[in-house]
Amino acid sequence: MTNAKRALWGYFFIGPQLIGLILFALIPLVYALSLSLMKWDGFGEKTFIGLGNFVIQFHDEHFWKALINTAYYTVLVIPLSICLAMLVAIALNKVKGKNVYRVFYFMPVVTSTVSVGVIWMWVLNGDFGILNEILKRIGITGPKWLTDTEWVIPSIAMLSIWSGLGHNMVIFLAGLQGISSSYYEAAEIDGASGMQKFWHITLPLLSPTTFFITIMSIIGSFQVFDQAFVMTNGGPAKASYTLVFHIYDRAFINFRMGESAAAAMILFAIILTFTLVQLKMSKRWVHYEG
């Protein structure tokens, strides 16, 4: 087969994905950017106002409230979700019947977010929720999880950590199974303990997987919306009002499409910045087997 035919087959196979990327990602991104420069209520004519929508966002207390809430949620979710997923993956890596455990841990990932949110509203109910009942039996008075401004973000974070555990765990398991057993055999010959093997073999060789999960988790955490919408509707007192909730609120509640698009572009810039910074820093701590 000639190089030209190989190239043609390559374009043939990547064509559907490329078309989807252009239609459902790049074109909407360009349109959102153009809309962020307009004043539009979704029905009438668009009026060009330049960077006016961005100025409005930076002077909007609701935008800053949403940004602070989203950052707080991210700080809670990322370290705990990654550490728990790694520990569970390590625990299951050598266990018999690990495929069965994978299914159980992965079930929340494929369950509807709305269904999970409704169930957790019952679990976290401050008056008769099962979590507070368990705490009461051990002598602890549980808080009003979803109606207390101090506890609502940690409550949503708990749900996200639980529901996303299986996804990250499966990826970590794949990373662990890609580490050659020869490293551990050599370490055992040298008399290394289990903790030494973990710190000097598992963690370094698992760093590419950890890096990937970290990037994807941060992107996902900054886009949190479903849980807050279903469980609290952004309350109480906007304590669970996130950036994507703010984008939704401006577009479909207040019909300020330009402001919504501007907030979306700011969110895009934040995520892009975090991703680029992580890519830059990854050279210091990500180690590839070779």
Side-chain angles (χ1 to χ4, degrees), residues 1-18:
M1 183 181 294
T2 64
N3 291 335
K5 287 185 177 180
R6 288 179 180 176
L8 185 62
W9 276 109
Y11 287 121
F12 175 77
F13 284 113
I14 69 171
Q17 179 66 23
L18 186 60

Side-chain angles (χ1 to χ4, degrees), residues 205-237:
L205 295 181
L206 204 58
S207 58
T209 306
T210 306
F211 173 60
F212 171 77
I213 291 176
T214 301
I215 286 184
M216 299 307 296
S217 297
I218 290 178
I219 292 173
S221 65
F222 269 97
Q223 295 176 337
V224 60
F225 171 73
D226 298 14
Q227 300 92 319
F229 182 77
V230 172
M231 298 173 70
T232 64
N233 198 30

Side-chain angles (χ1 to χ4, degrees), residues 65-116:
K65 179 69 172 177
L67 180 60
I68 293 171
N69 288 340
T70 305
Y72 178 36
Y73 168 86
T74 302
V75 169
L76 289 178
V77 168
I78 300 303
L80 289 174
S81 62
I82 292 176
C83 291
L84 283 175
M86 183 184 294
L87 291 175
V88 172
I90 292 172
L92 294 182
N93 192 35
K94 302 298 182 181
V95 174
K96 290 183 179 179
K98 57 187 172 185
N99 289 333
V100 176
Y101 289 104
R102 282 183 185 179
V103 172
F104 284 120
Y105 276 103
F106 202 78
M107 285 177 65
V109 180
V110 297
T111 304
S112 167
T113 308
V114 175
S115 302
V116 171

Side-chain angles (χ1 to χ4, degrees), residues 5 34 46 49 92 101 113 118 146 154 159 174 215 224 240 251 267:
K5 287 185 177 180
S34 65
K46 302 181 183 72
I49 60 173
L92 294 182
Y101 289 104
T113 308
V118 171
L146 298 177
L159 164 60
I215 286 184
V224 60
S240 60
L267 175 59

Side-chain angles (χ1 to χ4, degrees), residues 61-271:
E61 62 177 346
H62 297 305
F63 170 80
W64 290 109
K65 179 69 172 177
L67 180 60
I68 293 171
N69 288 340
T70 305
Y72 178 36
Y73 168 86
T74 302
V75 169
L76 289 178
V77 168
I78 300 303
L80 289 174
S81 62
I82 292 176
C83 291
L84 283 175
M86 183 184 294
L87 291 175
V88 172
I90 292 172
L92 294 182
N93 192 35
K94 302 298 182 181
V95 174
K96 290 183 179 179
K98 57 187 172 185
N99 289 333
V100 176
Y101 289 104
R102 282 183 185 179
V103 172
F104 284 120
Y105 276 103
F106 202 78
M107 285 177 65
V109 180
V110 297
T111 304
S112 167
T113 308
V114 175
S115 302
V116 171
V118 171
I119 292 172
W120 273 75
M121 286 175 64
W122 171 69
V123 172
L124 296 174
N125 187 284
D127 296 320
F128 55 81
I130 187 172
L131 180 56
N132 277 0
E133 287 296 322
I134 294 173
L135 293 175
K136 186 187 297 183
R137 290 179 183 275
I138 59 176
I140 299 174
T141 303
K144 304 287 187 180
W145 297 97
L146 298 177
T147 57
D148 189 326
T149 56
E150 293 183 2
W151 283 100
V152 64
I153 289 291
S155 301
I156 296 174
M158 279 194 295
L159 164 60
S160 299
I161 292 169
W162 173 81
S163 62
L165 178 64
H167 177 267
N168 292 340
M169 180 268 296
V170 167
I171 298 176
F172 271 126
L173 266 176
L176 287 169
Q177 292 170 9
I179 300 175
S180 174
S181 60
S182 61
Y183 293 104
Y184 297 102
E185 293 168 359
E188 289 175 0
I189 293 173
D190 291 336
S193 64
M195 186 59 66
Q196 287 174 326
K197 287 187 286 185
F198 173 75
W199 282 107
H200 298 290
I201 298 175
T202 304
L203 273 184
L205 295 181
L206 204 58
S207 58
T209 306
T210 306
F211 173 60
F212 171 77
I213 291 176
T214 301
I215 286 184
M216 299 307 296
S217 297
I218 290 178
I219 292 173
S221 65
F222 269 97
Q223 295 176 337
V224 60
F225 171 73
D226 298 14
Q227 300 92 319
F229 182 77
V230 172
M231 298 173 70
T232 64
N233 198 30
K238 292 192 178 294
S240 60
Y241 188 73
T242 63
L243 274 175
V244 176
F245 205 115
H246 178 73
I247 294 169
Y248 163 82
D249 181 74
R250 286 294 174 269
F252 302 109
I253 303 299
N254 296 294
F255 297 100
R256 300 174 184 174
M257 300 298 175
E259 291 184 27
S260 175
M265 296 312 300
I266 294 171
L267 175 59
F268 170 76
I270 292 172
I271 292 175

